[in-house]
């Protein structure tokens, strides 16, 4: 007899295809389609709801629809999750004497007593579905004023009833702390943790780490399947040592795919991070960053310890990002560790200072790069030499190149290498380009699909556009020119030659604020969409 409805496993696979993956991450955000699925029937609701609440904090951060009402939606989410906590537990805080609130909280035995769910107000305990948490300032109690100002948005009705504002203000912070601790205890299968702010060295922060890393009665840790961790170190020479997250995770977490660390202020932090990296079995993506203030003062002296540990991930590591690091003090052992990373496919350097000749040996070993990104205010001669060596070493594999720095024609050797070595490029972003270089790129980089650049205003583009249209790579579909440096007539010549060359160009993005309709009419004539975008977008 045929089944009258799809099996749950089949529906789960179907619903998972409605989710939107977050770029460069191992998480996803739910969509309005998933929400609609929860309304079809009880059966569909049972299967789709866990997907809807898997990454609710990521959903708010990465969904464009919440940008103008982020905090309103954020506190409404907390209200929904707060309703999953048994009503009797929250009422204990409400009815307690104000002076004894902190005493009450400290006596709540999270680790020794399971909560009763008989007073939960929701159909499901959504907290148990959560697989990823972003610890916003609100959750870390770093913005208590915002918590109090929005208390009527997130406190449940049974708390709001018959209480005056000054009474609510006295219990809002204790309830929020209770909620955070409850959240940390009852998220059983976390795959991603994100701490985008420095955790204060206090009871709540230490308890968050304690609850997240606690083993249950069966010896199972909720972070065993953690795949993504983003964390900001906070010691910075402080004599008072906080509970270190990496040390706490060392006994439970060894299956990370992505690790982001910002800041190394002490040798202790460097050693603990290094040991934690060495414990991982399949780390594929590492991001090492310094804060802007530390970078300015060059506080990078402990990174050799961390670089030494990267060799333990030489087989699995494919993406390495370095942000705001000073790279002139890399010792021989650390350099050898970097040279062992022969499976790196993506290298991204952002505002890294003092790249020197010693790193050229590392560039020689990076022969499998597919993506190379460099972003800085300016490029030094030694940085340029390093990048040129990278381009030459990975000339057969590099498909995406992104460069962003102040450029001048007289001393720019880097972009001149592109037409000679990078014939496999499909994605190219340049800070500025000159006519002769762009013509050479069009002639040599025949596989390009996307090009973004600013046309130099140092030279005239008259009579150049026709040549560019004639030489345009056949598969180039989108160009971002920045500002239009040519007339609508020149644009017409360019597009005519594109058509004659059987080009597939469909989109041209520009940043000109005031551009007349004649440009748009020309583009429309050739079935090309001309799009105005904001600079830097």
């Amino acid at each position: 007899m045929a089944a009258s409805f799809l099996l749950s496993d089949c529906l789960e696979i179907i619903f998972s295809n409605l989710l939107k993956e977050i770029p460069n991450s191992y998480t996803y955000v739910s969509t309005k389609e998933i929400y609609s699925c929860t309304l079809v029937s009880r059966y569909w609701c049972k299967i789709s709801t866990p997907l809807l609440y898997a990454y609710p904090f990521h959903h708010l951060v990465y969904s464009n629809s919440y940008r103008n009402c982020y905090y309103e939606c954020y506190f409404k989410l907390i209200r929904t999750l707060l309703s999953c906590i048994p009503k009797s537990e929250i009422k204990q805080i409400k009815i307690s004497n104000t002076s004894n609130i902190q005493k009450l909280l400290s006596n709540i035995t999270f680790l020794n007593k399971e909560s009763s769910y008989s007073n939960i107000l929701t159909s499901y305990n959504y907290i148990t579905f959560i697989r990823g948490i972003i610890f916003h300032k609100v959750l870390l109690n770093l913005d208590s004023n915002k918590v109090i100002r929005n208390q009527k948005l997130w406190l449940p009705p049974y708390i709001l009833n018959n209480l005056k504002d000054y009474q609510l203000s006295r219990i809002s912070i204790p309830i929020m702390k209770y909620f955070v601790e409850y959240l940390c205890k009852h998220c059983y299968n976390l795959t991603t943790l994100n701490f985008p702010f420095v955790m204060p060295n206090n009871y709540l922060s230490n308890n968050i780490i304690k609850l997240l890393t606690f083993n249950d009665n069966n010896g199972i840790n909720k972070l065993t399947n953690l795949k993504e961790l983003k964390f900001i170190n906070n010691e910075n020479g402080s004599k008072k040592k906080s509970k270190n997250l990496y040390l706490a995770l060392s006994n439970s977490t060894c299956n990370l795919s992505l690790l982001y660390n910002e800041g190394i202020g002490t040798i202790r932090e460097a050693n603990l991070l290094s040991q934690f990296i060495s414990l991982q079995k399949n780390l594929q993506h590492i991001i090492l960053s310094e804060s802007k203030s530390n970078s300015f003062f060059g506080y990078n002296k402990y990174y050799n310890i961390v670089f030494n540990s990267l060799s333990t991930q030489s087989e699995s590591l494919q993406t390495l990002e370095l942000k705001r690091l000073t790279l002139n003090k890399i010792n021989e052992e650390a350099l050898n560790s970097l040279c062992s990373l022969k499976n790196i496919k993506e290298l991204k350097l952002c505002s890294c200072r003092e790249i020197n000749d010693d790193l050229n040996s590392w560039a020689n070993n990076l022969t499998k790069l597919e993506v190379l990104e460099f972003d800085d205010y300016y490029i030094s001669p030694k940085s340029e030499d390093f990048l040129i060596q990278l381009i030459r070493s990975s000339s057969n594999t590099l498909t995406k190149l992104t460069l962003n720095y102040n450029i001048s024609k007289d001393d720019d050797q880097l972009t001149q290498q592109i037409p000679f070595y990078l014939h496999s490029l499909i994605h190219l972003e340049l800070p500025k380009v000159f006519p002769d270089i762009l013509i050479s790129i069009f002639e040599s980089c025949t596989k390009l699909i996307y090009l973004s650049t600013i046309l130099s205003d140092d030279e005239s583009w008259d009579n150049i556009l026709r040549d560019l249209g004639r030489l345009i790579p056949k598969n180039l579909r989108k160009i971002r020119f920045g500002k239009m440096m040519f007339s609508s007539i020149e644009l017409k010549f360019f597009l005519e030659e594109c058509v004659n060359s059987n080009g597939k160009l469909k989109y041209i993005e520009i940043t000109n604020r005031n551009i007349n309709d004649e440009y748009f009419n020309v583009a429309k004539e050739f079935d090309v969409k001309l799009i105005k975008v904001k600079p830097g977008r």
Side-chain angles (χ1 to χ4, degrees), residues 27 51 64 91 122 217 224 237 282 293 338 368 383 489 497:
T27 57
L51 296 175
N64 293 332
K91 275 193 171 182
T122 55
N217 294 331
T224 300
N282 191 36
S293 58
L338 289 173
K368 299 179 181 179
S383 295
I489 296 176
E497 292 297 336

Side-chain angles (χ1 to χ4, degrees), residues 284-342:
Q284 300 174 26
H285 188 168
I286 295 179
I287 306 169
L288 300 175
S289 176
E290 270 299 335
S291 65
K292 290 182 179 179
S293 58
N294 283 358
S295 175
F296 180 79
F297 292 107
Y299 293 154
N300 294 163
K301 57 184 177 181
Y302 301 117
Y303 274 91
N304 279 322
I305 298 173
V306 180
F307 288 147
N308 290 344
S309 67
L310 297 185
S311 60
T312 63
Q313 308 300 317
S314 59
E315 294 299 321
S316 60
L317 192 61
Q318 297 185 15
T319 302
L320 179 62
E321 299 185 46
L322 305 179
K323 298 183 177 182
R324 296 186 288 271
L325 303 189
T326 302
L327 300 175
N328 66 333
K329 296 182 179 179
I330 294 180
N331 61 30
E332 184 177 356
E333 187 178 356
L335 184 59
N336 289 337
S337 179
L338 289 173
C339 290
S340 72
L341 306 177
K342 296 182 180 180

Side-chain angles (χ1 to χ4, degrees), residues 471-487:
L471 298 170
I472 191 169
K474 297 294 186 292
N475 294 317
L476 187 57
R477 294 183 60 83
K478 180 185 285 188
I479 298 177
R480 174 177 290 193
F481 273 139
K483 291 185 178 181
M484 286 286 195
M485 302 301 299
F486 44 82
S487 67

Side-chain angles (χ1 to χ4, degrees), residues 260-276:
Y260 172 96
N261 181 85
E262 180 178 317
I264 298 177
T266 66
I267 192 170
R268 175 177 180 260
E269 287 182 342
N271 282 324
L272 290 174
L273 174 58
S274 176
Q275 293 166 16
F276 183 70

Side-chain angles (χ1 to χ4, degrees), residues 360-413:
N360 287 339
S361 60
W362 178 35
N364 286 329
N365 283 276
L366 293 173
T367 60
K368 299 179 181 179
L369 283 184
E370 296 175 5
V371 176
L372 174 59
E373 297 184 7
F374 178 85
D375 186 356
D376 207 343
Y377 180 74
Y378 76 100
I379 184 170
S380 68
K382 291 185 177 180
S383 295
E384 190 172 49
D385 290 342
F386 175 71
L387 293 173
I388 289 174
Q389 186 57 56
L390 284 173
I391 286 175
R392 293 175 178 176
S393 299
S394 296
S395 59
N396 294 326
T397 57
L398 203 62
T399 58
K400 179 179 178 180
L401 177 63
T402 299
L403 302 175
N404 184 25
Y405 58 91
N406 286 332
I407 188 173
S408 63
K409 187 172 183 179
D410 295 335
D411 57 4
D412 179 48
Q413 300 296 317

